[in-house]
Amino acid sequence: MDGQSIGDAWHHVVGTQPDPPVWLVVATGAVALAAVLPAPLWRLSRAIVTIAHEGGHGLVALLTGRRLSGIRLHSDTSGLTVSSGKPTGPGMILTAAAGYLAPPLLGLGGAALLAAGHITALLWTAIVLLAGLLVMIRNAFGALSVLVTGAAFLLVSWYAGDQVQAAFAYLGVWFLLLAGVRPVVELQRKRRYGGAPDSDADQLARLTGVTAVLWVSLFLVTALASLLAGGSWLVGH
Protein backbone atom coordinates (compact mmCIF):
# COMPACT_ATOMS: atom_id res chain seq x y z
CA MET A 1 0.00 0.00 0.00
CA ASP A 2 1.56 3.34 -1.02
CA GLY A 3 1.63 6.54 1.03
CA GLN A 4 -1.36 8.02 -0.74
CA SER A 5 -3.46 4.89 -0.13
CA ILE A 6 -2.50 4.90 3.55
CA GLY A 7 -3.41 8.56 3.76
CA ASP A 8 -6.76 7.97 2.08
CA ALA A 9 -7.54 5.11 4.44
CA TRP A 10 -6.61 7.21 7.48
CA HIS A 11 -8.78 10.11 6.36
CA HIS A 12 -11.66 7.69 5.83
CA VAL A 13 -11.28 6.31 9.35
CA VAL A 14 -11.08 9.69 11.09
CA GLY A 15 -13.52 11.41 8.74
CA THR A 16 -17.29 11.43 8.89
CA GLN A 17 -19.78 9.28 7.01
CA PRO A 18 -23.33 10.19 5.99
CA ASP A 19 -26.11 9.56 8.49
CA PRO A 20 -28.03 6.35 7.81
CA PRO A 21 -31.77 6.54 7.13
CA VAL A 22 -34.05 6.66 10.16
CA TRP A 23 -35.55 3.28 9.34
CA LEU A 24 -32.13 1.66 9.65
CA VAL A 25 -31.51 3.24 13.05
CA VAL A 26 -34.91 2.04 14.30
CA ALA A 27 -34.54 -1.41 12.74
CA THR A 28 -31.13 -2.03 14.29
CA GLY A 29 -32.51 -0.97 17.66
CA ALA A 30 -35.36 -3.48 17.28
CA VAL A 31 -32.95 -6.27 16.34
CA ALA A 32 -30.74 -5.46 19.32
CA LEU A 33 -33.76 -5.53 21.63
CA ALA A 34 -34.75 -8.92 20.19
CA ALA A 35 -31.28 -10.21 21.04
CA VAL A 36 -31.62 -9.06 24.66
CA LEU A 37 -35.18 -9.89 25.73
CA PRO A 38 -35.85 -13.55 24.77
CA ALA A 39 -34.01 -15.92 27.10
CA PRO A 40 -32.79 -18.34 24.38
CA LEU A 41 -31.13 -15.56 22.39
CA TRP A 42 -29.86 -13.84 25.50
CA ARG A 43 -27.97 -16.97 26.52
CA LEU A 44 -25.96 -16.54 23.32
CA SER A 45 -25.73 -12.76 23.00
CA ARG A 46 -24.74 -12.31 26.64
CA ALA A 47 -21.26 -13.52 25.68
CA ILE A 48 -20.68 -10.15 24.00
CA VAL A 49 -21.60 -8.37 27.23
CA THR A 50 -19.12 -10.58 29.08
CA ILE A 51 -16.36 -9.48 26.70
CA ALA A 52 -17.14 -5.83 27.50
CA HIS A 53 -17.56 -6.56 31.22
CA GLU A 54 -14.24 -8.35 31.66
CA GLY A 55 -12.52 -5.92 29.31
CA GLY A 56 -13.70 -3.11 31.56
CA HIS A 57 -12.18 -4.79 34.60
CA GLY A 58 -8.92 -5.33 32.74
CA LEU A 59 -8.61 -1.84 31.28
CA VAL A 60 -9.29 -0.08 34.58
CA ALA A 61 -6.88 -2.41 36.38
CA LEU A 62 -4.13 -1.28 33.99
CA LEU A 63 -5.12 2.39 34.18
CA THR A 64 -4.98 2.34 37.97
CA GLY A 65 -1.54 0.76 38.06
CA ARG A 66 -2.51 -2.80 38.94
CA ARG A 67 -0.77 -5.76 37.29
CA LEU A 68 -3.17 -7.57 35.01
CA SER A 69 -2.48 -11.31 35.10
CA GLY A 70 -5.09 -12.38 32.57
CA ILE A 71 -8.71 -12.64 31.53
CA ARG A 72 -10.79 -15.78 30.98
CA LEU A 73 -14.12 -15.99 29.14
CA HIS A 74 -16.22 -19.12 29.53
CA SER A 75 -18.85 -20.80 27.38
CA ASP A 76 -21.53 -20.26 30.06
CA THR A 77 -21.01 -16.48 29.49
CA SER A 78 -19.21 -16.05 32.81
CA GLY A 79 -15.75 -14.55 32.99
CA LEU A 80 -12.85 -13.83 35.31
CA THR A 81 -10.27 -11.06 35.37
CA VAL A 82 -7.27 -11.54 37.62
CA SER A 83 -5.09 -8.61 38.66
CA SER A 84 -2.61 -8.14 41.45
CA GLY A 85 -1.67 -5.20 43.57
CA LYS A 86 -2.90 -3.53 46.73
CA PRO A 87 -6.02 -5.47 47.86
CA THR A 88 -7.78 -2.30 48.99
CA GLY A 89 -7.90 1.34 47.96
CA PRO A 90 -9.11 3.31 44.93
CA GLY A 91 -7.45 1.11 42.31
CA MET A 92 -9.13 -2.04 43.55
CA ILE A 93 -12.47 -0.29 44.00
CA LEU A 94 -12.44 1.20 40.50
CA THR A 95 -11.39 -2.13 38.99
CA ALA A 96 -14.22 -3.98 40.76
CA ALA A 97 -16.77 -1.34 39.74
CA ALA A 98 -15.74 -1.26 36.09
CA GLY A 99 -17.31 -4.54 34.99
CA TYR A 100 -21.01 -3.69 35.11
CA LEU A 101 -20.33 -0.09 34.13
CA ALA A 102 -18.32 -0.94 31.02
CA PRO A 103 -21.03 -2.15 28.59
CA PRO A 104 -23.42 0.83 28.98
CA LEU A 105 -20.58 3.36 29.03
CA LEU A 106 -19.02 1.82 25.93
CA GLY A 107 -22.46 2.03 24.31
CA LEU A 108 -22.74 5.67 25.33
CA GLY A 109 -19.33 6.46 23.86
CA GLY A 110 -20.28 4.62 20.69
CA ALA A 111 -23.53 6.57 20.44
CA ALA A 112 -21.56 9.82 20.71
CA LEU A 113 -19.30 8.73 17.84
CA LEU A 114 -22.25 7.71 15.66
CA ALA A 115 -24.12 10.93 16.40
CA ALA A 116 -21.03 12.79 15.15
CA GLY A 117 -20.95 10.69 11.96
CA HIS A 118 -17.82 8.68 12.85
CA ILE A 119 -19.08 5.27 11.82
CA THR A 120 -15.77 3.90 10.52
CA ALA A 121 -13.88 5.34 13.49
CA LEU A 122 -16.21 3.44 15.82
CA LEU A 123 -15.56 0.16 14.00
CA TRP A 124 -11.79 0.61 14.16
CA THR A 125 -11.89 1.69 17.79
CA ALA A 126 -13.66 -1.59 18.55
CA ILE A 127 -11.00 -3.51 16.60
CA VAL A 128 -8.19 -1.86 18.57
CA LEU A 129 -9.89 -2.52 21.91
CA LEU A 130 -10.54 -6.16 21.02
CA ALA A 131 -6.94 -6.61 19.87
CA GLY A 132 -5.72 -5.26 23.19
CA LEU A 133 -8.09 -7.57 25.05
CA LEU A 134 -6.94 -10.60 23.05
CA VAL A 135 -3.39 -10.18 24.35
CA MET A 136 -4.65 -10.71 27.90
CA ILE A 137 -6.95 -13.69 27.25
CA ARG A 138 -5.77 -16.86 28.95
CA ASN A 139 -8.11 -19.59 27.70
CA ALA A 140 -9.03 -21.03 24.31
CA PHE A 141 -12.74 -20.25 24.38
CA GLY A 142 -12.04 -16.67 25.37
CA ALA A 143 -9.50 -16.23 22.59
CA LEU A 144 -11.92 -17.69 20.05
CA SER A 145 -14.74 -15.41 21.24
CA VAL A 146 -12.62 -12.27 20.94
CA LEU A 147 -11.12 -13.35 17.60
CA VAL A 148 -14.55 -14.00 16.06
CA THR A 149 -15.91 -10.70 17.34
CA GLY A 150 -12.87 -8.77 16.15
CA ALA A 151 -12.93 -10.51 12.77
CA ALA A 152 -16.55 -9.49 12.27
CA PHE A 153 -15.67 -5.84 12.90
CA LEU A 154 -12.62 -6.06 10.64
CA LEU A 155 -14.44 -7.69 7.74
CA VAL A 156 -17.32 -5.22 7.88
CA SER A 157 -15.05 -2.19 8.15
CA TRP A 158 -12.78 -3.37 5.33
CA TYR A 159 -15.14 -4.88 2.78
CA ALA A 160 -18.70 -3.69 3.44
CA GLY A 161 -20.35 -0.64 1.93
CA ASP A 162 -21.36 2.43 3.90
CA GLN A 163 -24.89 1.26 4.68
CA VAL A 164 -23.79 -2.17 5.89
CA GLN A 165 -21.11 -0.56 8.05
CA ALA A 166 -23.71 1.80 9.50
CA ALA A 167 -26.12 -1.05 10.23
CA PHE A 168 -23.39 -3.08 11.95
CA ALA A 169 -22.19 -0.13 14.01
CA TYR A 170 -25.67 0.93 15.08
CA LEU A 171 -26.61 -2.63 15.94
CA GLY A 172 -23.52 -2.99 18.13
CA VAL A 173 -24.11 0.28 19.97
CA TRP A 174 -27.82 -0.38 20.49
CA PHE A 175 -26.94 -3.81 21.83
CA LEU A 176 -24.47 -2.46 24.39
CA LEU A 177 -26.94 0.18 25.54
CA LEU A 178 -29.83 -2.24 25.89
CA ALA A 179 -27.81 -5.19 27.17
CA GLY A 180 -26.18 -3.06 29.84
CA VAL A 181 -29.41 -3.14 31.84
CA ARG A 182 -30.30 -6.83 31.96
CA PRO A 183 -27.16 -8.18 33.72
CA VAL A 184 -27.69 -5.71 36.58
CA VAL A 185 -31.29 -6.86 37.02
CA GLU A 186 -30.13 -10.48 36.93
CA LEU A 187 -27.42 -9.72 39.47
CA GLN A 188 -29.87 -8.33 42.00
CA ARG A 189 -32.26 -11.22 41.42
CA LYS A 190 -29.46 -13.68 42.20
CA ARG A 191 -28.38 -11.69 45.24
CA ARG A 192 -31.93 -11.68 46.59
CA TYR A 193 -31.81 -15.47 46.77
CA GLY A 194 -28.21 -15.69 47.97
CA GLY A 195 -26.89 -16.85 44.62
CA ALA A 196 -24.03 -14.37 44.11
CA PRO A 197 -22.16 -13.88 47.41
CA ASP A 198 -18.93 -12.91 45.64
CA SER A 199 -20.45 -10.64 42.99
CA ASP A 200 -18.77 -7.37 42.05
CA ALA A 201 -21.33 -5.51 44.17
CA ASP A 202 -20.61 -7.64 47.23
CA GLN A 203 -16.86 -7.28 46.76
CA LEU A 204 -17.34 -3.52 46.55
CA ALA A 205 -19.42 -3.59 49.72
CA ARG A 206 -16.57 -5.32 51.56
CA LEU A 207 -14.02 -2.88 50.12
CA THR A 208 -15.95 0.31 50.87
CA GLY A 209 -18.44 -0.43 53.63
CA VAL A 210 -21.20 0.79 51.30
CA THR A 211 -24.03 -1.74 51.05
CA ALA A 212 -24.09 -3.90 47.92
CA VAL A 213 -27.62 -2.74 47.09
CA LEU A 214 -26.32 0.79 46.60
CA TRP A 215 -23.63 -0.47 44.25
CA VAL A 216 -26.23 -2.40 42.26
CA SER A 217 -28.32 0.79 42.18
CA LEU A 218 -25.33 2.71 40.80
CA PHE A 219 -24.88 0.09 38.08
CA LEU A 220 -28.57 0.25 37.19
CA VAL A 221 -28.80 4.06 37.17
CA THR A 222 -25.70 4.23 34.95
CA ALA A 223 -27.12 1.66 32.54
CA LEU A 224 -30.52 3.36 32.31
CA ALA A 225 -29.04 6.85 31.98
CA SER A 226 -26.69 5.63 29.24
CA LEU A 227 -29.58 3.99 27.40
CA LEU A 228 -31.69 7.14 27.64
CA ALA A 229 -28.93 9.51 26.56
CA GLY A 230 -27.34 7.22 23.96
CA GLY A 231 -30.69 6.24 22.49
CA SER A 232 -31.71 9.87 22.13
CA TRP A 233 -28.42 10.62 20.34
CA LEU A 234 -28.90 7.73 17.95
CA VAL A 235 -32.44 8.61 16.92
CA GLY A 236 -32.23 12.38 17.24
CA HIS A 237 -29.10 13.49 15.44
Side-chain angles (χ1 to χ4, degrees):
M1 183 180 291
D2 58 30
Q4 184 176 0
S5 298
I6 294 173
D8 291 343
W10 173 249
H11 285 303
H12 182 66
V13 170
V14 300
T16 59
Q17 288 75 47
D19 292 337
V22 174
W23 69 262
L24 186 146
V25 177
V26 174
T28 52
V31 172
L33 186 61
V36 172
L37 289 182
L41 287 178
W42 176 242
R43 282 193 288 269
L44 298 175
S45 64
R46 198 183 195 283
I48 299 173
V49 181
T50 303
I51 291 174
H53 180 112
E54 300 303 332
H57 282 313
L59 177 60
V60 173
L62 291 173
L63 292 176
T64 56
R66 296 181 62 79
R67 293 182 297 278
L68 182 59
S69 301
I71 297 172
R72 301 177 72 87
L73 306 172
H74 304 130
S75 58
D76 63 356
T77 72
S78 65
L80 177 66
T81 299
V82 178
S83 65
S84 58
K86 189 177 178 182
T88 59
M92 186 63 198
I93 293 169
L94 290 172
T95 298
Y100 282 97
L101 297 177
L105 292 180
L106 285 171
L108 185 64
L113 282 174
L114 293 182
H118 294 294
I119 295 171
T120 305
L122 180 142
L123 297 174
W124 278 93
T125 298
I127 292 168
V128 170
L129 290 174
L130 288 165
L133 177 61
L134 181 62
V135 174
M136 298 310 302
I137 294 294
R138 296 292 182 265
N139 67 320
F141 180 83
L144 179 61
S145 299
V146 175
L147 277 171
V148 169
T149 305
F153 276 93
L154 182 62
L155 290 172
V156 169
S157 64
W158 198 261
Y159 294 108
D162 288 345
Q163 189 146 307
V164 174
Q165 286 193 19
F168 191 81
Y170 274 80
L171 177 61
V173 170
W174 271 123
F175 178 79
L176 287 175
L177 291 171
L178 291 164
V181 178
R182 182 161 180 172
V184 182
V185 176
E186 292 176 340
L187 169 63
Q188 185 55 27
R189 185 182 300 125
K190 289 179 182 177
R191 290 191 66 260
R192 186 180 301 125
Y193 297 103
D198 293 319
S199 72
D200 292 351
D202 291 280
Q203 292 181 44
L204 286 163
R206 291 191 287 270
L207 287 166
T208 64
V210 176
T211 178
V213 172
L214 290 181
W215 285 107
V216 175
S217 299
L218 172 64
F219 299 156
L220 184 59
V221 168
T222 301
L224 291 173
S226 298
L227 175 57
L228 181 62
S232 66
W233 295 343
L234 293 178
V235 300
H237 68 277

